[in-house]
Amino acid sequence: MWPHSNKPLRLALIGMSGAGKSYWTARIAAAGYPAISCDAQIESRMKSELDDGGYSGINGVAAWMGWPHLPTYADREAAYLPRKLRCSTRF
């Protein structure tokens, strides 16, 4: 709870890749506050696909998806987006 309210404080970290969102989420959790990492949830949901390709971590998700001009991109984007949306709708 926020010290001056009976309502919980909700904080969303939004930014470009590499901006430190995962770092600060881990620091917030280490300080004892509840924290949800969409990246970690997506990695968990995609574990089998990532493992099959030898990828790991959120950077592995990006490598697995590839670039939009690649022939595999549309199918992989279609597999990724529902997992991303499931995380986003929890809030």
Side-chain angles (χ1 to χ4, degrees):
M1 296 296 218
W2 188 240
H4 306 290
S5 172
N6 62 352
K7 295 180 182 178
L9 173 65
R10 296 178 192 261
L11 176 66
L13 303 178
I14 302 168
M16 297 293 292
S17 180
K21 300 174 301 290
S22 294
Y23 171 81
W24 285 107
T25 299
R27 294 281 307 264
I28 289 166
Y33 295 97
I36 298 170
S37 170
C38 287
D39 286 352
Q41 290 182 21
I42 292 165
E43 292 168 38
S44 174
R45 291 181 185 129
M46 296 189 69
K47 184 166 176 34
S48 63
E49 290 101 322
L50 296 174
D51 286 351
D52 288 349
Y55 302 107
S56 66
I58 199 62
N59 290 333
V61 173
W64 172 83
M65 282 186 64
W67 294 96
H69 70 278
L70 296 174
T72 56
Y73 184 81
D75 289 338
R76 291 182 175 187
E77 179 185 43
Y80 166 83
L81 285 176
R83 293 169 173 129
K84 178 75 170 179
L85 291 174
R86 266 189 298 197
C87 182
S88 302
T89 58
R90 290 191 56 204
F91 312 103

